[in-house]
mmCIF file of all heavy atoms in Angstrom:
data_model
loop_
_atom_site.group_PDB
_atom_site.id
_atom_site.type_symbol
_atom_site.label_atom_id
_atom_site.label_comp_id
_atom_site.label_asym_id
_atom_site.label_seq_id
_atom_site.Cartn_x
_atom_site.Cartn_y
_atom_site.Cartn_z
ATOM 1 N N ILE A 1 0.840 -1.203 0.000
ATOM 2 C CA ILE A 1 0.000 0.000 0.000
ATOM 3 C C ILE A 1 0.875 1.253 0.000
ATOM 4 O O ILE A 1 0.623 2.211 -0.737
ATOM 5 C CB ILE A 1 -0.970 -0.014 1.193
ATOM 6 C CG1 ILE A 1 -2.000 -1.127 1.008
ATOM 7 C CG2 ILE A 1 -1.642 1.344 1.380
ATOM 8 C CD1 ILE A 1 -2.842 -1.416 2.240
ATOM 9 N N LEU A 2 1.918 1.249 0.822
ATOM 10 C CA LEU A 2 2.825 2.400 0.874
ATOM 11 C C LEU A 2 3.556 2.586 -0.444
ATOM 12 O O LEU A 2 3.775 3.709 -0.887
ATOM 13 C CB LEU A 2 3.829 2.237 2.017
ATOM 14 C CG LEU A 2 3.264 2.414 3.420
ATOM 15 C CD1 LEU A 2 4.313 2.068 4.466
ATOM 16 C CD2 LEU A 2 2.756 3.827 3.629
ATOM 17 N N ARG A 3 3.927 1.492 -1.071
ATOM 18 C CA ARG A 3 4.629 1.579 -2.355
ATOM 19 C C ARG A 3 3.743 2.216 -3.417
ATOM 20 O O ARG A 3 4.205 3.001 -4.241
ATOM 21 C CB ARG A 3 5.064 0.179 -2.791
ATOM 22 C CG ARG A 3 5.829 0.148 -4.059
ATOM 23 C CD ARG A 3 7.220 0.697 -3.876
ATOM 24 N NE ARG A 3 7.954 0.399 -5.098
ATOM 25 C CZ ARG A 3 8.921 1.133 -5.551
ATOM 26 N NH1 ARG A 3 9.317 2.186 -4.888
ATOM 27 N NH2 ARG A 3 9.526 0.822 -6.658
ATOM 28 N N SER A 4 2.451 1.906 -3.384
ATOM 29 C CA SER A 4 1.550 2.520 -4.360
ATOM 30 C C SER A 4 1.284 3.989 -4.026
ATOM 31 O O SER A 4 1.065 4.795 -4.912
ATOM 32 C CB SER A 4 0.247 1.733 -4.465
ATOM 33 O OG SER A 4 -0.499 1.845 -3.278
ATOM 34 N N ALA A 5 1.320 4.331 -2.738
ATOM 35 C CA ALA A 5 1.098 5.721 -2.336
ATOM 36 C C ALA A 5 2.345 6.585 -2.536
ATOM 37 O O ALA A 5 2.240 7.787 -2.775
ATOM 38 C CB ALA A 5 0.666 5.772 -0.866
ATOM 39 N N PHE A 6 3.524 5.971 -2.437
ATOM 40 C CA PHE A 6 4.798 6.690 -2.575
ATOM 41 C C PHE A 6 5.685 5.954 -3.586
ATOM 42 O O PHE A 6 6.689 5.348 -3.222
ATOM 43 C CB PHE A 6 5.516 6.787 -1.216
ATOM 44 C CG PHE A 6 4.709 7.455 -0.149
ATOM 45 C CD1 PHE A 6 4.023 6.709 0.801
ATOM 46 C CD2 PHE A 6 4.620 8.836 -0.093
ATOM 47 C CE1 PHE A 6 3.275 7.317 1.785
ATOM 48 C CE2 PHE A 6 3.877 9.464 0.885
ATOM 49 C CZ PHE A 6 3.187 8.707 1.822
ATOM 50 N N PRO A 7 5.337 6.003 -4.869
ATOM 51 C CA PRO A 7 6.084 5.239 -5.883
ATOM 52 C C PRO A 7 7.525 5.705 -6.053
ATOM 53 O O PRO A 7 8.349 4.957 -6.562
ATOM 54 C CB PRO A 7 5.278 5.450 -7.161
ATOM 55 C CG PRO A 7 4.494 6.685 -6.928
ATOM 56 C CD PRO A 7 4.237 6.763 -5.448
ATOM 57 N N GLU A 8 7.841 6.907 -5.605
ATOM 58 C CA GLU A 8 9.211 7.416 -5.744
ATOM 59 C C GLU A 8 10.154 6.866 -4.677
ATOM 60 O O GLU A 8 11.360 7.005 -4.784
ATOM 61 C CB GLU A 8 9.207 8.958 -5.694
ATOM 62 C CG GLU A 8 8.902 9.556 -4.326
ATOM 63 C CD GLU A 8 7.421 9.548 -3.943
ATOM 64 O OE1 GLU A 8 6.573 9.155 -4.748
ATOM 65 O OE2 GLU A 8 7.128 9.933 -2.802
ATOM 66 N N GLU A 9 9.615 6.215 -3.637
ATOM 67 C CA GLU A 9 10.453 5.671 -2.573
ATOM 68 C C GLU A 9 10.873 4.239 -2.898
ATOM 69 O O GLU A 9 10.101 3.465 -3.446
ATOM 70 C CB GLU A 9 9.714 5.712 -1.231
ATOM 71 C CG GLU A 9 9.494 7.125 -0.735
ATOM 72 C CD GLU A 9 8.924 7.178 0.674
ATOM 73 O OE1 GLU A 9 8.737 6.125 1.304
ATOM 74 O OE2 GLU A 9 8.666 8.302 1.143
ATOM 75 N N ASN A 10 12.116 3.907 -2.531
ATOM 76 C CA ASN A 10 12.594 2.547 -2.761
ATOM 77 C C ASN A 10 12.213 1.649 -1.581
ATOM 78 O O ASN A 10 11.623 2.113 -0.600
ATOM 79 C CB ASN A 10 14.109 2.528 -3.033
ATOM 80 C CG ASN A 10 14.920 3.031 -1.861
ATOM 81 O OD1 ASN A 10 14.592 2.802 -0.696
ATOM 82 N ND2 ASN A 10 16.022 3.722 -2.157
ATOM 83 N N SER A 11 12.548 0.381 -1.666
ATOM 84 C CA SER A 11 12.120 -0.575 -0.642
ATOM 85 C C SER A 11 12.702 -0.253 0.730
ATOM 86 O O SER A 11 12.035 -0.430 1.755
ATOM 87 C CB SER A 11 12.489 -1.996 -1.054
ATOM 88 O OG SER A 11 13.881 -2.113 -1.229
ATOM 89 N N ARG A 12 13.924 0.217 0.788
ATOM 90 C CA ARG A 12 14.532 0.581 2.071
ATOM 91 C C ARG A 12 13.794 1.766 2.704
ATOM 92 O O ARG A 12 13.561 1.789 3.904
ATOM 93 C CB ARG A 12 16.008 0.910 1.880
ATOM 94 C CG ARG A 12 16.705 1.227 3.193
ATOM 95 C CD ARG A 12 18.179 1.379 3.030
ATOM 96 N NE ARG A 12 18.749 0.055 2.882
ATOM 97 C CZ ARG A 12 19.960 -0.182 2.446
ATOM 98 N NH1 ARG A 12 20.737 0.813 2.078
ATOM 99 N NH2 ARG A 12 20.417 -1.410 2.344
ATOM 100 N N GLN A 13 13.411 2.732 1.891
ATOM 101 C CA GLN A 13 12.676 3.886 2.403
ATOM 102 C C GLN A 13 11.288 3.481 2.893
ATOM 103 O O GLN A 13 10.819 3.980 3.913
ATOM 104 C CB GLN A 13 12.572 4.965 1.319
ATOM 105 C CG GLN A 13 13.894 5.616 1.010
ATOM 106 C CD GLN A 13 13.828 6.494 -0.228
ATOM 107 O OE1 GLN A 13 13.300 6.090 -1.266
ATOM 108 N NE2 GLN A 13 14.366 7.698 -0.116
ATOM 109 N N ILE A 14 10.642 2.575 2.200
ATOM 110 C CA ILE A 14 9.328 2.081 2.631
ATOM 111 C C ILE A 14 9.468 1.354 3.962
ATOM 112 O O ILE A 14 8.662 1.555 4.882
ATOM 113 C CB ILE A 14 8.707 1.156 1.553
ATOM 114 C CG1 ILE A 14 8.402 1.924 0.268
ATOM 115 C CG2 ILE A 14 7.472 0.442 2.078
ATOM 116 C CD1 ILE A 14 7.310 2.965 0.373
ATOM 117 N N ALA A 15 10.486 0.519 4.091
ATOM 118 C CA ALA A 15 10.712 -0.209 5.346
ATOM 119 C C ALA A 15 10.960 0.764 6.500
ATOM 120 O O ALA A 15 10.419 0.585 7.601
ATOM 121 C CB ALA A 15 11.882 -1.174 5.193
ATOM 122 N N GLU A 16 11.758 1.793 6.268
ATOM 123 C CA GLU A 16 12.028 2.779 7.326
ATOM 124 C C GLU A 16 10.765 3.553 7.682
ATOM 125 O O GLU A 16 10.521 3.858 8.839
ATOM 126 C CB GLU A 16 13.138 3.738 6.903
ATOM 127 C CG GLU A 16 14.511 3.130 6.951
ATOM 128 C CD GLU A 16 14.883 2.598 8.323
ATOM 129 O OE1 GLU A 16 14.701 3.321 9.324
ATOM 130 O OE2 GLU A 16 15.346 1.455 8.406
ATOM 131 N N ARG A 17 9.959 3.869 6.667
ATOM 132 C CA ARG A 17 8.692 4.571 6.923
ATOM 133 C C ARG A 17 7.813 3.720 7.835
ATOM 134 O O ARG A 17 7.207 4.214 8.780
ATOM 135 C CB ARG A 17 7.979 4.875 5.608
ATOM 136 C CG ARG A 17 6.656 5.603 5.766
ATOM 137 C CD ARG A 17 6.008 5.852 4.418
ATOM 138 N NE ARG A 17 6.655 6.904 3.683
ATOM 139 C CZ ARG A 17 6.361 8.203 3.824
ATOM 140 N NH1 ARG A 17 5.440 8.587 4.681
ATOM 141 N NH2 ARG A 17 6.980 9.105 3.111
ATOM 142 N N LEU A 18 7.755 2.425 7.570
ATOM 143 C CA LEU A 18 6.972 1.531 8.425
ATOM 144 C C LEU A 18 7.525 1.498 9.850
ATOM 145 O O LEU A 18 6.774 1.541 10.822
ATOM 146 C CB LEU A 18 6.963 0.111 7.846
ATOM 147 C CG LEU A 18 5.966 -0.152 6.726
ATOM 148 C CD1 LEU A 18 6.224 -1.514 6.108
ATOM 149 C CD2 LEU A 18 4.541 -0.057 7.238
ATOM 150 N N LYS A 19 8.839 1.429 9.982
ATOM 151 C CA LYS A 19 9.461 1.341 11.310
ATOM 152 C C LYS A 19 9.233 2.590 12.147
ATOM 153 O O LYS A 19 8.878 2.500 13.316
ATOM 154 C CB LYS A 19 10.962 1.099 11.181
ATOM 155 C CG LYS A 19 11.330 -0.284 10.759
ATOM 156 C CD LYS A 19 12.845 -0.396 10.680
ATOM 157 C CE LYS A 19 13.285 -1.696 10.076
ATOM 158 N NZ LYS A 19 14.750 -1.766 9.954
ATOM 159 N N VAL A 20 9.483 3.755 11.555
ATOM 160 C CA VAL A 20 9.436 4.983 12.354
ATOM 161 C C VAL A 20 8.009 5.450 12.660
ATOM 162 O O VAL A 20 7.822 6.312 13.504
ATOM 163 C CB VAL A 20 10.255 6.134 11.722
ATOM 164 C CG1 VAL A 20 11.709 5.760 11.600
ATOM 165 C CG2 VAL A 20 9.696 6.558 10.383
ATOM 166 N N THR A 21 7.011 4.886 11.984
ATOM 167 C CA THR A 21 5.629 5.279 12.268
ATOM 168 C C THR A 21 4.899 4.246 13.123
ATOM 169 O O THR A 21 3.698 4.383 13.349
ATOM 170 C CB THR A 21 4.846 5.529 10.964
ATOM 171 O OG1 THR A 21 4.882 4.356 10.150
ATOM 172 C CG2 THR A 21 5.409 6.726 10.208
ATOM 173 N N CYS A 22 5.608 3.234 13.589
ATOM 174 C CA CYS A 22 4.978 2.236 14.461
ATOM 175 C C CYS A 22 4.559 2.859 15.788
ATOM 176 O O CYS A 22 5.190 3.794 16.274
ATOM 177 C CB CYS A 22 5.958 1.099 14.749
ATOM 178 S SG CYS A 22 6.089 -0.089 13.440
ATOM 179 N N ASP A 23 3.502 2.318 16.377
ATOM 180 C CA ASP A 23 3.090 2.705 17.721
ATOM 181 C C ASP A 23 3.921 1.906 18.709
ATOM 182 O O ASP A 23 3.969 0.673 18.629
ATOM 183 C CB ASP A 23 1.603 2.393 17.947
ATOM 184 C CG ASP A 23 0.699 3.215 17.054
ATOM 185 O OD1 ASP A 23 1.074 4.356 16.714
ATOM 186 O OD2 ASP A 23 -0.376 2.711 16.696
ATOM 187 N N LYS A 24 4.585 2.584 19.619
ATOM 188 C CA LYS A 24 5.404 1.901 20.618
ATOM 189 C C LYS A 24 4.499 1.158 21.586
ATOM 190 O O LYS A 24 3.559 1.724 22.127
ATOM 191 C CB LYS A 24 6.287 2.889 21.374
ATOM 192 C CG LYS A 24 7.210 3.692 20.479
ATOM 193 C CD LYS A 24 8.141 2.807 19.694
ATOM 194 C CE LYS A 24 9.035 3.602 18.769
ATOM 195 N NZ LYS A 24 9.535 2.853 17.665
#
C-alpha cells in the first residue's frame, strides 16, 4: 500500500517509513 502511495520511494525507504511510524 505504501509503495503505491509513494512510488518514488525505494524498498529501504518504505521499510524505514513503516518502522518509524509504528506505535510503541
Side-chain angles (χ1 to χ4, degrees):
I1 292 169
L2 288 173
R3 182 72 170 150
S4 68
F6 303 100
E8 71 282 356
E9 292 187 3
N10 63 36
S11 60
R12 183 173 284 165
Q13 291 170 313
I14 295 293
E16 285 302 312
R17 180 181 286 274
L18 279 171
K19 286 180 188 178
V20 299
T21 57
C22 280
D23 295 329
K24 302 301 178 203

